[in-house]
């Protein structure tokens, strides 16, 4: 049995070697077909061919925004004479998400290979891997892999004998959620507070140290070697036109079999919850599902009969986000859950924008008051208005992320709020 | 000045079309259209982090509201600052800021000059929807002179950017996150910087306050007068804020060529709580004439009559000492008295001190020459002297002193003169050796001009009522010279300056009107600057 659970309906591409400790060292990885894509891309393919292949595959960023990876690479300037950088976003911090951690822990070379190909494509001579500081067990694994890659000539001054130089530096984060926002990450790498920056300029124009930069998520880069070896059409055999390929879902909460599941992007969300994850615990009814990490709107149990594609989840009223699926059964108090999430955002707001700095903390205080039975009738319209004032008005989307669960939980679980406000009780079943 | 004309674009702001250079931001273009978009983090002299989100405006075609402080203008752009969405966003920012703001306006120094207070009233928000306790952070010093009230702070980071970008000593930082974020000093220790008090000026609220001003006057009780700092040769444009005929503080008045938006702490400390004449001397309030060993207070006509008579009898060649803190007009009036006696010359001295440069605007310096008008004195024919009293020793005839307080003069100063006239503000022992003492005003009690280090002639205005019978020196001395048949009695500072400009080539063509409050540079300025820096 693979790690920690596997299901026959999964399509394991990126997660194929989860649980297989033999895939971790470079030799084991090469035995399993590793670095074939790099050997193919660097000497044989032009940069434009690499980008064209990834673009044709339709791979979209797996960090949350779902921006097409090939297009992102295409935005990088050519012949501008400036140093370019590839920054790998391994600061996985979205509540409910733990997929990148597993990729790095079991298959660090899978990421490195994707990053090397990405660096080649965007003309970067330096890869920065910004890894979450709390990943204390993963950091040494990744460090070891980088050393091995240098020893084997996959990194260094003469990558695979092509004469190309690609260096790699691991930067360990210090515990700020906002460092996972791409421009906040760049500020942090530069030694500043991890404060997101206004866009434009976009990182492709002025990113790390003011130079053209691409920031890619771990899972996006891990998929790249497979696409280059097997081709864009191979990758497109899964998923939909707009959401090709596979996606890792980190499933947690009230499930019988939580864990990472990799499914085709047209897979049904209800099947993911009930079949792959085994549904709620015995005697419990499923109440709510957050499909993409705490930043995306919550769905009721009735709303999850939809594909997990980008467009499918949008149609259902939520988003793919980072793929951090949080399931809640009838023992969960939605007010409490949302309060806990908003407190997280209030704690992690960088403090730059007024709406976010003050709004997240204010909303958290109101939610706590409601949870404790001190709510007022005016609190629900107030929360909705605060959310409206917070959303879409700030430098980054942390503010929107805090607003999403508030608005969606009020829309879908208003009874829960009224039970707390009017009856000082809760609709959750103990 | 034949620079290629900047490319102009036309933008419409709230229906008002303006033509502005392409490099402008929307917030700047709006000012051209006469619309001030509310702002906290934006400051024209510093970078814009676009973080307060107060200046959000609606731009036609843009999916979201945009921060006008960083949005560049584009040809044909249509901006609305007064659309329902923009107004709601602005109201929301005010409401958010007031969630944790302590609203301690009744004891806050900034009340009456607070951008949070102003905008809150402007948007008509007198009630908050927040019923929850506010977070409390407390207060602390950031410099020995400046206090930081963290609870009032709106986190605009203007102070942080002033230290980083203008002072170029990044001593202030934001610490913590979310609504626990505050401004703090690096390593939590107090810092000192010769321009540190500018952080109080850039603070839009009462978070950073000058301890010297703390809990003293209310902003609305102050009268404000445009002036020029007398602290050194820089000539910073300032405002003197007065209450009950005392200067309570000096604030910089923007001048792009002289001091931008800033001034140094030396100047502020010199002027805050300023006592005319300083604490060291007894203020001269009435004309006095010598009667044997005694000085007797008399009327102005009696004193002038006695002075004219005494000077006429003493005859030339005389000697003159002037202060380089005296106005051009006063120095000119003394020159007319000297002309009546038939002698030229005259000397001044320049006290010096350590210098300090504002790195982000290096033209602004606390200059070594700690007087405001050394260049003016030189242009009017006075000579800088390294040792005033040695130069005078052993010379007889008339002795004229204007302005120099003579605190350090020998006890018998002026005793050997045939006739000694002292026109000044304080009666030091050496001044009291005079035959006639004329009480004159300080710069804060009169209109006048100083000529700064680069030869820029700048006007200052009367901020205080002079004590007793003290009059501007140009009034007293022109009355004296006209009695002696040299020049006319001058009726106003403008008239005095016009007479000066007609007579002294470097000032030719200047009038108070043409000077305005930006001043003008004299053509002979470079030569004069060389003269004043020649001595020690």
């Amino acid at each position: 049995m693979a790690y920690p659970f596997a299901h026959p309906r999964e399509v394991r591409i990126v997660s194929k070697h989860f649980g297989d400790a033999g895939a971790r060292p470079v030799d084991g990885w090469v035995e399993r077909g590793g670095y074939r894509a790099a050997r193919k891309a660097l000497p044989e393919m032009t940069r434009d061919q690499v980008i064209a292949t990834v673009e044709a595959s339709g791979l979209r960023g797996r960090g949350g925004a779902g921006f097409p990876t090939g297009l992102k690479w295409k935005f990088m300037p050519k012949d501008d004479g400036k140093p370019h950088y590839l920054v790998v976003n391994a600061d996985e911090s979205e509540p409910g998400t733990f997929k990148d951690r597993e990729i790095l822990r079991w298959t660090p070379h899978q990421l490195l290979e994707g990053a090397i190909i990405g660096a080649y494509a965007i003309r970067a001579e330096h890869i920065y891997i910004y890894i979450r500081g709390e990943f204390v067990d993963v950091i040494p694994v990744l460090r070891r892999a980088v050393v091995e890659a240098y020893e084997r000539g996959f990194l260094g001054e003469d990558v695979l004998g092509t004469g190309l130089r690609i260096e790699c530096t691991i930067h360990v984060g210090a515990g700020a959620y906002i460092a996972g926002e791409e421009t906040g990450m760049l500020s942090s790498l530069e030694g500043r507070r991890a404060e997101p920056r206004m866009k434009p300029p976009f990182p492709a124009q002025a990113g790390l140290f003011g130079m053209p930069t691409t920031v890619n998520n771990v899972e996006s880069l891990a998929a790249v070697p497979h696409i280059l070896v097997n081709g864009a059409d191979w990758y497109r055999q899964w998923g939909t036109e707009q959401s090709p390929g596979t996606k890792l879902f980190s499933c947690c909460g009230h499930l019988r079999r939580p864990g990472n599941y990799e499914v085709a992007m047209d897979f049904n969300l209800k099947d993911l919850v009930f079949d792959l994850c085994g549904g709620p615990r015995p005697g419990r009814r499923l109440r709510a599902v957050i499909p993409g990490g705490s930043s995306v709107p919550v769905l009721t149990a009735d709303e999850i009969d939809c594909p997990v594609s980008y467009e499918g989840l949008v149609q259902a009223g939520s988003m793919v986000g980072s793929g951090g699926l949080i399931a809640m059964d009838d023992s969960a108090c939605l007010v409490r859950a949302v309060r806990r999430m908003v407190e997280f955002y209030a704690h992690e707001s960088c403090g730059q924008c007024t709406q976010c700095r003050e709004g997240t903390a204010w909303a958290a205080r109101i939610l706590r008051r409601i949870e404790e039975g001190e709510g007022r009738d005016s609190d629900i319209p107030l929360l909705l208005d605060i959310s409206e004032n917070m959303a879409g008005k700030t430098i980054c989307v942390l503010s929107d992320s805090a607003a999403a669960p508030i608005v969606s939980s009020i829309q879908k679980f208003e009874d829960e709020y009224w039970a707390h406000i009017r009856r000082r009780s809760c609709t959750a079943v103990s | 000045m034949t620079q290629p004309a900047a490319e102009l674009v036309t933008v419409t702001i709230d229906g008002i079309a303006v033509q502005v250079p392409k490099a402008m931001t929307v917030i700047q273009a709006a000012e051209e259209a006469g619309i001030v978009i509310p702002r906290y983090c934006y400051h024209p002299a510093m970078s814009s982090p676009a973080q307060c989100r107060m200046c959000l405006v609606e731009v036609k075609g843009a999916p979201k509201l945009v921060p006008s402080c960083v949005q560049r203008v584009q040809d044909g752009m249509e901006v609305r600052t007064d659309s329902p969405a923009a107004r709601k966003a602005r109201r929301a920012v005010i409401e958010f800021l007031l969630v944790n703001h302590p609203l301690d306006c009744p004891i806050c120094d900034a009340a009456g000059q607070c951008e949070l207070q102003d905008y809150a009233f402007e948007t008509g928000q007198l009630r908050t929807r927040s019923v929850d306790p506010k977070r409390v952070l407390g207060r602390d010093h950031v410099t020995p002179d400046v206090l930081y009230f963290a609870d009032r702070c709106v986190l605009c980071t203007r102070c942080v950017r002033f230290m980083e970008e203008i002072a170029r000593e990044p001593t202030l930082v934001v610490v913590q996150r979310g609504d626990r974020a505050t401004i703090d000093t690096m390593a939590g220790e107090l810092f000192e910087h010769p321009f540190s008090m500018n952080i109080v000026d850039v603070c839009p609220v009462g978070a950073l306050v000058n301890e010297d001003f703390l809990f003293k006057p209310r902003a609305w009780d102050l009268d404000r007068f445009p002036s020029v700092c007398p602290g050194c040769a820089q000539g910073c444009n300032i405002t003197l804020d007065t209450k009950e005929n005392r200067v309570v503080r000096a604030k910089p008045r923007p001048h792009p060529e002289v001091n931008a938006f800033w001034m140094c702490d030396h100047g502020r400390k010199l002027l805050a709580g300023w006592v005319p004449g300083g604490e060291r001397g007894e203020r001269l309030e009435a004309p006095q004439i010598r009667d044997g060993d005694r000085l007797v207070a008399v009327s102005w006509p009696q004193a002038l009559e006695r002075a004219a008579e005494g000077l006429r009898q003493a005859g030339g060649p005389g000697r003159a000492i002037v202060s380089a803190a005296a106005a051009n007009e006063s120095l000119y009036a003394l020159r007319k008295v000297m002309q009546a006696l038939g002698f030229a010359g005259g000397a001044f001295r320049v006290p010096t001190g350590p210098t300090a440069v504002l790195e982000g605007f290096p033209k602004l310096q606390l200059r070594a020459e700690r007087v405001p008008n050394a260049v003016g004195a030189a242009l009017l024919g006075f000579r800088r002297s390294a040792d005033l009293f040695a130069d005078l020793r052993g010379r007889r005839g008339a002795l004229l002193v204007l302005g120099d307080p003579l605190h350090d003069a020998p006890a018998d100063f002026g005793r050997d003169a045939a006739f000694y006239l002292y026109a000044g503000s304080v009666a030091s022992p050496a001044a009291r050796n005079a035959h006639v003492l004329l009480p004159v005003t300080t710069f804060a009690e009169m209109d006048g001009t100083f000529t700064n280090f680069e030869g820029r002639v700048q006007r200052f205005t009367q901020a205080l009522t002079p004590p007793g019978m003290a009059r501007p020196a140009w009034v007293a001395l022109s009355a004296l010279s006209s009695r002696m048949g040299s020049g006319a009695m001058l009726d106003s500072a403008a008239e005095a300056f016009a007479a000066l400009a007609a007579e002294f080539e470097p000032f030719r063509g200047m009038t108070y009107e043409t000077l305005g409050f930006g001043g003008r540079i004299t053509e002979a300025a470079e030569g004069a600057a060389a003269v004043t820096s020649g001595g020690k």
Side-chain angles (χ1 to χ4, degrees), chain A residues 17-18 20-26 28-30 32 106-110:
Chain A
H17 300 287
F18 282 12
D20 173 8
R24 198 176 282 152
V26 66
W29 185 246
V30 169
R32 287 161 179 77
W106 297 110
T107 58
H109 286 286
Q110 186 174 214

Side-chain angles (χ1 to χ4, degrees), chain A residues 70-260:
Chain A
L71 195 56
K72 203 175 202 179
W73 289 356
K74 228 178 174 175
F75 285 157
M76 290 291 281
K78 296 172 184 177
D79 310 319
D80 58 341
K82 291 179 183 170
H84 292 190
Y85 296 105
L86 176 69
V87 175
V88 179
N89 189 341
D91 192 48
E92 182 175 54
S93 324
E94 182 70 16
T97 314
F98 44 88
K99 62 191 177 63
D100 297 340
R101 185 185 68 193
E102 297 311 301
I103 293 173
L104 294 165
R105 176 193 289 176
W106 297 110
T107 58
H109 286 286
Q110 186 174 214
L111 166 73
L112 286 181
E113 186 176 1
I116 290 161
I117 294 165
Y120 171 68
I122 63 163
R123 300 167 165 77
E125 286 197 344
H126 210 126
I127 301 165
Y128 284 93
I129 302 176
Y130 193 108
I131 187 165
R132 183 175 177 185
E134 290 89 336
F135 286 175
V136 286
D137 55 339
V138 182
I139 293 163
V141 172
L142 186 61
R143 284 197 197 285
R144 176 84 208 121
V146 169
V147 169
E148 287 175 340
Y150 267 100
E151 283 169 0
R152 296 301 173 92
F154 298 129
L155 286 169
E157 300 205 340
D158 181 16
V159 176
L160 294 165
T162 56
L164 290 170
R165 176 190 171 124
I166 301 177
E167 308 282 349
C168 180
T169 302
I170 296 172
H171 181 91
V172 178
Y177 169 75
I178 198 62
E181 197 276 344
E182 73 175 353
T183 56
M185 175 166 288
L186 301 178
S187 299
S188 177
L189 270 175
E190 290 170 1
R192 300 165 174 272
R193 282 166 63 85
E195 288 174 343
R197 308 171 182 173
M198 278 297 292
K199 290 185 271 192
F202 290 92
Q205 294 135 32
L208 187 60
F209 308 117
M211 299 300 158
T213 303
T214 295
V215 183
N216 283 134
N217 174 259
V218 168
E219 189 187 350
S220 317
L221 288 171
V224 166
H226 305 282
I227 292 167
L228 284 196
V229 168
N230 300 300
D233 290 340
W234 167 83
Y235 194 66
R236 278 190 173 276
Q237 68 180 289
W238 299 286
T240 67
E241 178 63 29
Q242 290 174 53
S243 310
T246 61
K247 170 92 188 80
L248 271 168
F249 281 86
S250 311
C251 305
C252 67
H254 300 142
L255 295 167
R256 287 201 215 194
R257 289 192 299 274
N260 279 296

Side-chain angles (χ1 to χ4, degrees), chain B residues 170-229:
Chain B
T171 49
L172 289 176
V173 288
V174 178
V175 297
Q176 264 291 357
R177 299 194 296 252
D179 73 344
R180 290 100 53 221
T182 61
I183 308 295
D184 203 352
T185 52
M186 265 315 191
E189 290 175 2
L190 297 191
F191 75 91
E192 290 188 63
H193 189 277
F195 291 87
S196 68
M197 290 190 201
N198 289 297
I199 62 176
V200 175
D201 295 340
V202 296
C203 182
V205 295
L208 288 166
V209 298
N210 198 327
E211 199 170 21
D212 182 66
F213 191 75
L214 191 65
F215 304 140
K216 285 178 184 167
R218 305 309 320 231
W220 54 85
D221 285 337
L222 301 178
D223 295 310
R224 297 184 167 83
F225 302 92
S227 189
V228 172
C229 179

Side-chain angles (χ1 to χ4, degrees), chain B residues 512-529:
Chain B
Y512 269 21
E513 272 192 7
T514 59
L515 289 181
F517 278 96
R520 269 177 62 184
I521 295 187
T522 55
E523 280 168 22
E526 280 174 30

Side-chain angles (χ1 to χ4, degrees), chain B residues 353-438:
Chain B
T355 60
V357 182
L358 185 59
E359 296 294 339
F361 186 77
K363 192 174 176 188
L364 172 52
Q365 298 176 14
L366 167 59
R367 300 200 175 254
E369 298 81 19
R370 292 289 209 270
V371 279
N373 201 27
V375 171
L379 290 173
L380 292 168
F382 297 93
R383 180 179 56 82
R384 179 172 175 169
S385 164
D387 191 347
L388 215 47
F389 305 125
D391 289 358
L392 290 174
R393 205 159 292 139
R395 293 170 61 185
R396 298 190 60 81
L399 172 61
L400 304 172
V401 177
L402 168 61
D404 194 310
L406 302 175
H407 287 303
D408 53 343
D412 63 346
F413 177 86
R415 286 269 166 81
D416 54 355
F419 186 82
Y420 170 16
L421 172 70
Y422 183 82
S425 302
V426 288
S428 66
R432 299 178 71 87
N433 288 339
H435 294 99
V436 173
L437 283 85
L438 303 180

